[in-house]
Amino acid sequence: MLIFIVRRLLQSVIVMLVVALIAFLIFRYVGDPIVSMAGVDTRLEDQELMRERLGLNDPFYIQFWNFLTNALHGDFGISYRLQQPAMRLILDRLPATIELAVVSATLALVLGVLMGIFTALRARSFLSGVIMTLSLVGVSLPTFLIGIGLIYIFAVELQWLPSNGRGTTVQLGWWRTGFLTESGLRSLILPAITLSLFQMTLIMRLVRAEMLEVLRSDYIRFARARGLPDRVINFRHALKNTLVPVITITGLQLGSVIAFAIVTETVFQWPGVGSLFINSVQAVDVPVMATYLMMVGLVFVTINLVVDILYYLVDPRLRVQGKGR
Amino acid sequence: MTDTPVLSVRDLVVDFPLRRGNFRALDGVSFDIAAGEVLGVVGESGAGKSMTGAAVIGLLEPPGRITAGEVHLSGTRIDTLPPAQMQALRGKRIGMVMQDPLTSLNPLFTIGDQLVETIRQHMDLSEDQALERAISLLEEAGIPDARGRIHAYPHQFSGGMRQRVVIALAIAADPELVIADEPTSALDVSVQAQVIKVLKDLCQRRGTAVMLITHDMGVIAQIADRIMVMNAGRVVETGPVAQVIRHPREDYTIKLISSIPTIARTGEPPPPPAQDSAPAFVQVQGLVKDFDAGGGWLARVLGRAVPPFRAVNDVSFRIARGETYGLVGESGSGKSTCARMIAGLIEPTAGRVVVNGMDVWQVSAAERARRRAVQMIFQDPYASLNPRWRVGNIIAEPIRVLGLAKGSEIEDRVADLLRKVRLDPIVMRKFPHEFSGGQRQRIAIARALSSQPEFIVCDEPTSALDVSVQAQVLDLMSELQGEFGLTYLLISHNLAVIRQMANDVGVLHRGVLVESGPVDAIFDHPQADYTRMLLDAVPDLADIE
Amino acid sequence: MTDPTTSPTSAPRGFWQRLFDSDIWFSWSRSPVTIVASLVALALILAAVLAPWIAPHTPFDPATVELMDGFTPPGQQALSGTTYLLGSDDQGRDMLSTIMYGSRVSLFVGFAATLFAMTLGIALGLTAGYRGGFADTIIMRIADVQLSFPAILIALLIFGVAQGLIPASQQEQTAVWVLILAIGLSNWAQFARTVRGTTMVERQKDYVSAARLLGRNPLAIVTRHVLPNVLGPVLVIATISLALAIIEEATLSYLGVGVPPTQPSLGTLIRIGQRFLFSGEWWILAFPAVTLILLALSVNLLGDWLRDALNPRLRK
C-alpha cells in the first residue's frame, strides 16, 4: 500500500513537472515577452534593462526554477491583454466553470451509468436500440451545434430560458455562485445539458461495453449454474465487476468536462475560465494560457490520483497479497 | 432407492439457427444416470459433450435451443419448465463444475461470500448457519485451514484449491446431479488426481449422480462407472468403462481408443543408445535462466525488492544425432523456457547450448548455418502461422530469408514440402484459417523442414490437438525423423507421448532436471520421488482391469 | 471447444475466404442504415471533391457575387433574377455553392489530419508494443497524459503556440496546415494505444517467434508480420477518427481559431450563420449545420458498422 501510494504520488509530481515545463516553454518562447509587455515602441536599452530585471538573460534552468517557485506562490505573471495578474483572472472566473462542470458531470455520470446498465441488460429491447442510435447521433453532433440548437428552441422560439450569461449571482467570500438565485439556476440549465451530453454518451457506451463483457464471463455463467436469481447476478456480481474498469475511464472523462467547457462557455457566453482561455489563445496572451494549462494539469493529476486509489480499494487483487501460488 | 434414474435424457435435439441455415449440435442424444453413478462423457472437440451438459442444466447459449426430446430429473420433466423454475432448480438439484477454476469464481468477492450466498439461496439457513456449512464443505473438499481462509479472495488460492472451492459450491445444496465439464483439464497432472478424488468422494458420500464431461479417457478410466462416447452430436456407444475400452464395438470408438497413447511400453523398445561412444549432436550445459520478479526501482529503494526468480536451474543433457530427447514437466517447470533458450529465442542467464559444434548463443560467422540447422515447432497451430500470409509464403519464408533457393525453385521446394507432410501442393494459395488444427500443424512442420534443418525443437507440438489428430501428427514426425535423420527435442507434459516418441527423457521440476536417462529405464524404475509421484498420478488406460 | 461455429473447419477449399469476403458484404447489404450512411457519405464527398466543376456559383470570386442578392430565402427569386436553391447569405453568395466549397475544406483537413495521426500513431504504437521497456514507458506515458486531455484543448494549445511562432503575415497561408498539424497531433494517441495493444498480443504469438528464429531483424518482423495483423482495428479507429477530426475542425473554426475567413469551412459558415439566428435568416445557419451533422453521422455510422463487422474475426 505504501509503495503503491508513494509511486503514484511520484508519478503525479513528474506529470506536473512536465506540464509545468510545457507551460514554461510556451510562456518563455512563444512571442517575445518584452515586446508583448512593453510594446514595440520601447527603446532597445529599456527593453534590455527589463530583460535583465525579469531574469530573461539567466540560464535556462534558473529561469525554469524561478518559474516553478513563482508558480508555487501562485504568481504566473501579468496578462498581456488585460494587464492583471493571470492567476487572479483565472480565480475570478473559476467558480463559474466549476459550478457548470460539477452539474454537468453529475448529470452525465448518473444518466450515463443508468442508461449503460439498462442497454446492457436489455440488449435486445426496442428502447435499447433507440438509446444506442441516439447515442451515436449524440457523438456525431458537435457540442457547439447542440448548444446552438438548444438556444434556438428554448431561448429563441419558446423563450423559456435565457440564452447567455450566468444570470444574477451572489458573492460568498471570494466565490461567486449562481446556485442561489432563480435566474442563476435557469441560466445554468442549457449550458449544463449541452456540456453533459457528449460525456453522457461516452460513459453510457463504456458502461454498456464493459457490462456486456462481464456478463459473458465464466464466473457469471457459473453464478447462473449455482442458481442465483438474475437480480443478484446482474446487480451484485456483474455490476461490481463492471465498475472496476469504469471507475478509471469515467474519472478521466469527468476531468475533461472542465476543458470541454471551453466550447460550451463560448456558445453561451458563460463567464468562466474556458472563454477566458479561448480569448487568450486568439490574442496570444501567453501568461493566461500557461496558467490555464497548469490549472487543468493539476485538476487531471488530482483526479488521476483519486481514481488510482479508488481502484486500489475496489479490487482485492491489488489490495490483498496473494498467498496461494 | 427407486428404479427411476436421477437423470434421463431421451432423443435430445439441439439446434442453432445460424445465418446460413440450421446447425444441429445434438442429434437424438439419449442416456440415463442412476443415483450415485458416474457417467463419463467423452468425445473430441465439437462432439457435443459440453452442449449436452448445458442443455440439461438449461444454460444453452443463444441462439441454441432444444427443439426435440425430453430431459427428466428424478422422474419430472425439466426441459419444458419456465425459466424461473429452471433457475430455482439450478444449484439446488443440479450442480455444475466448470473447466477453468481461475475464471469461474468472481474475483471481487471472498469465497465465503460466494458460498454463503449460494447456500442461503437454496436452503433456509441463517447467515451464521450458512457460514458454518460453508466451512464444513470446504473442509470436506480438502481445503486446509478452511475456517481461517473462508474470508480470502479467489486469487489467494492456487488453481487446484480453487477447483475444490468450485466443487464445494456445486454441492453446496446437496444436489441430486452434478455436471462436471472438463473439471481437471486446466490443472496439472499431480493436482488433477487429487481433484478427481475429491469430486468422487464427495459425490459418493451423498449418493449424487455425476455427469463427467472430458476429452481425457484416462480421467474417465479413473473415476467413471459407465462411459458414453460422442461424435458429431450423436451418441456412438455407451457401456461399462472396462467393456468399452477393452472391447469397443463401433468403428469410431475402436479408432479413438487405438489412437490414445499409453504410458506403458507398446511395440518394440528403442534401440540401445550409443550415447557414450558417439559424440553428442546437441549438448546443453549448465543452462540457467533468471527472471526479474519485479517490484521496480522504488521497491528496491524501500528495501522490498523481490529476488529474481530462477525459472531454469543448471540444466544439462545431450542428444545423439537422429535421436529424440523428451523433456517432461508440469506447468511452471521451466520446460518451455528451456526449449526457447535451446532454439535461440531467449538468451540464457548462464550456460551453453552447442548444436553440431556451433554455439547457439555465440555470434559467429556460422550464424546463418546455425539458423538453418535449428528449427522449432510450436504448441498452438492457430498462433504459429501468420493469419495474413498465404501458406506458400509461410513455408517459403525460411528459404527466402536464408537465401537457400531462388525464383521458381522456391515454389518447387514448397510443393515438395507440402507433399512430404501429406498436403496437396495446391493449398499454397490458401490462408491458414482455411485449415483445421491438425492441418495447420502439418503446415508448421513443413515450414520447420523448409530450411533442411538437422535439429528441431518441438514445444508441446500436439497438446492443442484432439487425440486422433495427435496420433497422425506424431506418426508423421516419426516418419520424417527416419527420412531426414532429424534430431528432436520433444517438450511435453504428456508422459504417454514422451514414452512413445523418445529415446531418452529428462524430468524437469521447478527448473531443476531431477532425472535424465533412457526412457524405459526411467519409466519402469524411476529414481526421483517427483518422477514416481508423476507416474503414479497419470490416469492411464492400461490401469483398467 | 464445442462452439458450433468452429466445427465446419474442414469445409471445402476456398470456402473460408469466400465466407470472409461475403461476410463483410453480407453484413453491409443487410443493414439499411449502413447502406444509407454509405450513400450519404459518398454523395457529400463527391459534391465536395467535384465542387469546382458542379457548383452552380463560385462563391469566393467577387466578380460573380451579387451583393444585392443578400439574404435571399431558399428557392425564391432574388433581385438579380437568380434563384438560389438553398438561399443566399448576407453578401449574396449562393449557400449551396458555399457549402460545397466549405465541405471541401472540412474534408481535406479531416482526411489529412487523420492520415497524419494514423501514420504517427502506427509508427509509435508498433515501436512501443514491439520494443517494450523504456521506449514503451515513454511513449505510452505521453499518450496517457495526452488522452486524458480533450483533443480540442490540445489542438487549441498547439494552434495558439503556432500563432505565436509564425509571423502574422504568413498566418493566413499556413493556417490550414497548422490546423492539420494541431488536429493530427491531438488524435495520434488513440491509434498508438490500439496498435500497441494489438502488437503486444501479436508479438507473443509464435509466428513472430518463427520469424525471429530465422534471425530476421525487428524492422522486417514489425512491417512484414505484425503490421498486416494490426490494420483491422486501425481501420475502425481511422473511420471514427475521421468523424472526430471533421467535428474538431468545425469546432475550432467555430471558435474562430481555425481556417481563415477567406477559405471558410463548415464550422466557419456556422459561426457566421449564428449571427443571423435571432433575426430569422435561419437558412444561413441551418444548411451548413445539417451538412456537418450528416457528414459526421454517416462516417460514424460506417465506423460503428465496421467495428461490428470486423469483430467476430478479431475476436477469434
Side-chain angles (χ1 to χ4, degrees):
Chain A
M1 183 76 190
L2 177 70
I3 289 190
F4 176 82
I5 288 184
V6 171
R7 187 185 290 151
R8 286 289 182 276
L9 268 176
L10 277 177
Q11 279 176 1
S12 307
V13 171
I14 292 172
V15 171
M16 253 347 263
L17 278 176
V18 172
V19 173
L21 182 65
I22 295 172
F24 169 70
L25 289 176
I26 293 173
F27 181 71
R28 178 65 188 79
Y29 295 105
V30 174
D32 187 337
I34 300 297
V35 175
S36 309
M37 264 184 272
V40 216
D41 310 332
T42 332
R43 283 186 309 157
L44 275 177
E45 301 89 275
D46 289 349
Q47 282 193 16
E48 197 46 48
L49 203 68
M50 254 177 100
R51 210 177 279 279
E52 192 60 41
R53 210 177 32 170
L54 286 173
L56 292 180
N57 291 334
D58 292 343
F60 175 82
Y61 58 91
I62 294 193
Q63 287 193 41
F64 183 47
W65 176 252
N66 290 338
F67 177 84
L68 280 182
T69 42
N70 286 341
L72 283 178
H73 294 107
D75 178 6
F76 287 91
I78 310 285
S79 158
Y80 302 156
R81 189 169 58 99
L82 300 167
Q83 302 300 326
Q84 287 180 42
M87 193 65 192
R88 253 258 306 290
L89 284 172
I90 295 268
L91 281 182
D92 275 352
R93 289 161 158 255
L94 201 54
T97 298
I98 288 182
E99 286 183 359
L100 177 61
V102 166
V103 172
S104 333
T106 316
L107 210 61
L109 192 61
V110 173
L111 291 180
V113 169
L114 286 180
M115 285 195 296
I117 294 173
F118 177 82
T119 48
L121 293 182
R122 299 266 175 278
R124 281 160 205 279
S125 81
F126 176 73
L127 190 55
S128 293
V130 172
I131 295 179
M132 285 309 290
T133 313
L134 280 182
S135 80
L136 204 60
V137 177
V139 177
S140 309
L141 277 178
T143 309
F144 66 93
L145 272 184
I146 297 176
I148 294 174
L150 290 177
I151 290 179
Y152 186 72
I153 297 170
F154 293 101
V156 179
E157 288 296 319
L158 298 171
Q159 306 213 332
W160 287 353
L161 295 164
S163 69
N164 61 52
R166 285 184 87 188
T168 321
T169 53
V170 177
Q171 192 83 28
L172 293 175
W174 63 275
W175 187 279
R176 182 182 288 278
T177 179
F179 282 162
L180 297 175
T181 62
E182 197 201 323
S183 86
L185 289 174
R186 279 160 51 91
S187 302
L188 189 62
I189 297 176
L190 292 184
I193 292 177
T194 308
L195 185 52
S196 67
L197 270 181
F198 186 71
Q199 306 294 323
M200 199 188 298
T201 49
L202 279 187
I203 292 175
M204 187 205 100
R205 290 182 148 248
L206 175 75
V207 170
R208 174 176 180 273
E210 289 295 341
M211 189 134 183
L212 285 176
E213 194 66 35
V214 168
L215 285 174
R216 270 194 294 268
S217 68
D218 272 359
Y219 53 80
I220 294 299
R221 224 175 105 78
F222 186 54
R224 282 221 163 91
R226 283 191 275 145
L228 300 181
D230 286 348
R231 182 175 36 81
V232 174
I233 291 176
N234 291 340
F235 293 104
R236 197 169 124 90
H237 286 270
L239 192 57
K240 192 164 177 188
N241 287 280
T242 304
L243 288 183
V244 175
V246 164
I247 285 175
T248 328
I249 308 179
T250 308
L252 295 176
Q253 283 305 328
L254 291 183
S256 64
V257 165
I258 296 223
F260 260 111
I262 297 170
V263 181
T264 313
E265 289 180 7
T266 309
V267 177
F268 290 94
Q269 294 166 39
W270 188 264
V273 284
S275 50
L276 176 71
F277 177 67
I278 192 78
N279 291 334
S280 307
V281 169
Q282 281 160 342
V284 199
D285 188 350
V286 175
V288 180
M289 279 165 68
T291 318
Y292 180 83
L293 184 64
M294 291 288 282
M295 182 205 77
V296 174
L298 188 65
V299 169
F300 276 116
V301 166
T302 314
I303 289 179
N304 232 320
L305 196 65
V306 172
V307 162
D308 274 346
I309 291 172
L310 268 183
Y311 196 77
Y312 191 82
L313 291 179
V314 173
D315 195 336
R317 281 164 296 188
L318 297 175
R319 186 158 30 95
V320 189
Q321 299 289 320
K323 294 176 201 153
R325 301 208 134 236
Chain B
M1 283 274 167
T2 60
D3 293 323
T4 325
V6 170
L7 180 69
S8 170
V9 174
R10 286 287 164 273
D11 301 318
L12 190 65
V13 177
V14 168
D15 284 327
F16 279 73
L18 296 175
R19 213 177 63 206
R20 287 162 209 274
N22 183 51
F23 173 71
R24 183 150 287 189
L26 292 184
D27 191 0
V29 170
S30 303
F31 63 96
D32 293 322
I33 309 180
E37 187 188 36
V38 179
L39 175 73
V41 182
V42 286
E44 301 189 284
S45 43
K49 43 193 203 304
S50 289
M51 194 74 64
T52 311
V56 168
I57 200 169
L59 286 178
L60 280 174
E61 297 287 335
R65 58 199 177 88
I66 299 177
T67 41
E70 295 179 9
V71 179
H72 291 267
L73 184 67
S74 303
T76 9
R77 185 161 178 188
I78 59 167
D79 58 307
T80 47
L81 287 180
Q85 286 182 41
M86 194 64 209
Q87 175 218 306
L89 195 137
R90 280 197 287 271
K92 187 169 175 57
R93 297 183 60 196
I94 308 177
M96 186 155 182
V97 178
M98 306 206 314
Q99 174 170 358
D100 190 352
L102 300 186
T103 57
S104 39
L105 296 170
N106 191 330
L108 301 187
F109 293 88
T110 65
I111 59 166
D113 282 343
Q114 301 188 47
L115 272 161
V116 167
E117 133 193 285
T118 312
I119 293 166
R120 295 197 65 192
Q121 178 66 38
H122 300 299
M123 305 174 109
D124 193 17
L125 292 179
S126 75
E127 186 84 27
D128 290 342
Q129 289 169 317
L131 194 65
E132 280 309 311
R133 185 177 166 83
I135 292 169
S136 73
L137 278 167
L138 289 178
E139 276 166 355
E140 247 189 298
I143 305 263
D145 186 24
R147 190 170 294 276
R149 305 197 66 187
I150 186 109
H151 296 300
Y153 288 94
H155 73 272
Q156 295 170 284
F157 293 86
S158 67
M161 286 296 152
R162 274 195 237 189
Q163 197 63 311
R164 288 166 194 252
V165 174
V166 170
I167 292 173
L169 274 164
I171 57 158
D174 289 334
E176 297 143 64
L177 171 72
V178 167
I179 298 172
D181 190 353
E182 303 273 6
T184 59
S185 309
L187 304 173
D188 274 329
V189 188
S190 53
V191 182
Q192 185 177 330
Q194 298 159 9
V195 169
I196 287 276
K197 193 169 168 345
V198 166
L199 181 65
K200 186 166 189 173
D201 287 352
L202 284 181
C203 293
Q204 223 158 35
R205 221 171 293 159
R206 290 170 167 73
T208 314
V210 179
M211 176 176 172
L212 175 74
I213 298 160
T214 180
H215 68 280
D216 187 342
M217 203 66 109
V219 170
I220 298 258
Q222 214 172 28
I223 170 176
D225 303 306
R226 282 191 308 135
I227 183 170
M228 175 165 97
V229 182
M230 290 188 72
N231 181 38
R234 292 165 185 270
V235 176
V236 179
E237 186 165 355
T238 314
V241 171
Q243 186 196 317
V244 172
I245 290 178
R246 291 261 163 264
H247 313 286
R249 277 173 292 137
E250 301 294 322
D251 288 347
Y252 178 79
T253 322
I254 295 171
K255 242 185 75 197
L256 183 72
I257 289 180
S258 69
S259 60
I260 300 171
T262 160
I263 199 165
R265 165 60 57 204
T266 54
E268 49 200 88
Q275 216 170 0
D276 293 329
S277 52
F281 183 69
V282 177
Q283 205 166 352
V284 177
Q285 277 172 356
L287 215 50
V288 172
K289 181 68 193 176
D290 287 339
F291 286 112
D292 191 3
W297 61 272
L298 193 65
R300 240 167 282 151
V301 171
L302 295 174
R304 301 199 183 174
V306 189
F309 169 66
R310 182 151 288 195
V312 174
N313 192 356
D314 195 17
V315 167
S316 306
F317 58 85
R318 37 206 279 149
I319 317 176
R321 186 186 281 272
E323 294 203 339
T324 301
Y325 186 89
L327 198 55
V328 286
E330 298 183 284
S331 57
S333 64
K335 56 187 195 302
S336 270
T337 311
C338 261
R340 278 159 193 268
M341 285 192 288
I342 292 167
L345 285 174
I346 306 180
E347 185 154 15
T349 309
R352 256 158 56 93
V353 180
V354 180
V355 178
N356 201 13
M358 296 174 284
D359 192 321
V360 171
W361 285 101
Q362 203 102 61
V363 181
S364 71
E367 167 98 4
R368 188 170 289 256
R370 199 261 299 160
R371 297 228 183 256
R372 192 190 63 70
V374 183
Q375 277 294 334
M376 196 162 170
I377 299 169
F378 301 92
Q379 171 173 7
D380 183 358
Y382 290 83
S384 66
L385 305 176
N386 191 336
R388 301 280 167 163
W389 282 34
R390 286 182 200 279
V391 166
N393 287 331
I394 290 174
I395 298 175
E397 192 187 15
I399 305 177
R400 292 208 176 99
V401 172
L402 298 170
L404 301 176
K406 286 199 179 63
S408 65
E409 200 192 325
I410 296 178
E411 192 160 317
D412 293 344
R413 279 216 199 177
V414 170
D416 199 41
L417 285 162
L418 281 168
R419 274 190 289 268
K420 285 269 189 291
V421 296
R422 322 274 183 273
L423 287 171
D424 191 334
I426 205 139
V427 304
M428 68 174 89
R429 309 285 315 153
K430 291 197 192 180
F431 287 94
H433 63 249
E434 296 172 54
F435 298 89
S436 69
Q439 290 170 324
R440 288 182 198 215
Q441 205 57 313
R442 286 161 192 269
I443 294 169
I445 293 175
R447 171 181 56 193
L449 287 177
S450 75
S451 69
Q452 299 168 325
E454 290 151 85
F455 174 47
I456 301 183
V457 176
C458 315
D459 187 4
E460 300 267 12
T462 58
S463 64
L465 306 175
D466 276 328
V467 270
S468 58
V469 182
Q470 165 172 293
Q472 294 163 14
V473 170
L474 291 177
D475 281 349
L476 178 66
M477 284 172 58
S478 296
E479 281 171 39
L480 293 170
Q481 181 169 36
E483 190 174 345
F484 297 105
L486 297 167
T487 307
Y488 285 145
L489 171 62
L490 178 64
I491 314 281
S492 182
H493 69 282
N494 189 329
L495 293 164
V497 166
I498 295 278
R499 174 121 209 199
Q500 303 316 321
M501 295 289 290
N503 305 83
D504 288 336
V505 63
V507 181
L508 206 56
H509 179 49
R510 297 196 183 147
V512 178
L513 198 62
V514 294
E515 200 162 356
S516 176
V519 69
D520 279 358
I522 287 185
F523 274 62
D524 294 336
H525 311 287
Q527 299 299 312
D529 290 343
Y530 178 71
T531 316
R532 217 170 293 137
M533 189 278 290
L534 210 55
L535 285 166
D536 282 346
V538 178
D540 196 70
L541 288 190
D543 300 345
I544 306 269
E545 282 92 48
Chain C
M1 260 190 93
T2 44
D3 179 3
T5 52
T6 59
S7 42
T9 353
S10 52
R13 55 182 284 264
F15 173 77
W16 272 105
Q17 195 183 345
R18 287 204 305 277
L19 182 74
F20 162 59
D21 291 341
S22 61
D23 250 3
I24 295 276
W25 176 254
F26 183 90
S27 91
W28 187 81
S29 64
R30 289 299 156 92
S31 163
V33 177
T34 311
I35 297 176
V36 171
S38 319
L39 294 179
V40 169
L42 193 68
L44 289 174
I45 292 173
L46 279 180
V49 170
L50 301 177
W53 298 280
I54 60 169
H57 298 265
T58 316
F60 307 112
D61 179 2
T64 66
V65 174
E66 297 280 355
L67 201 55
M68 62 177 181
D69 282 357
F71 299 122
T72 310
Q76 286 184 24
Q77 202 171 45
L79 293 174
S80 67
T82 322
T83 305
Y84 301 105
L85 188 61
L86 300 181
S88 71
D89 68 2
D90 54 332
Q91 295 169 44
R93 294 186 292 208
D94 173 37
M95 281 312 294
L96 178 61
S97 312
T98 319
I99 289 172
M100 284 167 78
Y101 277 90
S103 315
R104 218 174 139 79
V105 177
S106 291
L107 277 169
F108 174 70
V109 173
F111 270 108
T114 304
L115 201 67
F116 176 49
M118 186 166 87
T119 314
L120 191 65
I122 289 178
L124 291 174
L126 283 175
T127 311
Y130 193 77
R131 296 293 297 273
F134 192 64
D136 182 34
T137 313
I138 293 293
I139 293 173
M140 290 332 285
R141 251 313 98 114
I142 297 175
D144 280 350
V145 171
Q146 188 171 331
L147 273 177
S148 57
F149 292 82
I152 195 84
L153 177 65
I154 309 266
L156 271 173
L157 263 176
I158 296 172
F159 197 86
V161 170
Q163 290 283 85
L165 293 177
I166 297 170
S169 58
Q170 286 172 27
Q171 275 179 9
E172 199 164 309
Q173 293 105 18
T174 51
V176 169
W177 298 105
V178 170
L179 200 58
I180 290 170
L181 183 80
I183 297 175
L185 279 181
S186 66
N187 282 327
W188 68 275
Q190 203 54 260
F191 287 96
R193 188 181 263 193
T194 309
V195 169
R196 173 203 179 241
T198 321
T199 304
M200 283 178 66
V201 173
E202 294 298 320
R203 89 172 172 154
Q204 296 295 329
K205 291 193 178 163
D206 282 330
Y207 70 83
V208 172
S209 305
R212 282 177 52 215
L213 207 57
L214 297 172
R216 299 206 79 170
N217 66 42
L219 189 66
I221 291 177
V222 164
T223 52
R224 305 263 294 123
H225 282 282
V226 180
L227 187 60
N229 286 293
V230 303
L231 287 182
V234 165
L235 189 64
V236 174
I237 300 203
T239 316
I240 295 166
S241 174
L242 175 63
L244 281 177
I246 291 171
I247 291 176
E248 214 175 311
E249 185 280 323
T251 307
L252 288 173
S253 296
Y254 170 80
L255 293 174
V257 294
V259 292
T262 50
Q263 241 181 313
S265 73
L266 291 174
T268 328
L269 296 179
I270 293 169
R271 177 185 167 85
I272 297 169
Q274 197 188 1
R275 276 188 255 149
F276 308 106
L277 183 60
F278 294 89
S279 53
E281 284 90 11
W282 53 270
W283 60 92
I284 306 181
L285 171 67
F287 291 123
V290 167
T291 312
L292 177 62
I293 295 173
L294 281 181
L295 195 57
L297 185 61
S298 59
V299 174
N300 259 334
L301 282 169
L302 282 180
D304 213 47
W305 161 77
L306 201 59
R307 179 174 46 209
D308 292 347
L310 289 179
N311 213 1
R313 264 176 56 78
L314 299 177
R315 238 164 234 289
K316 184 84 199 190

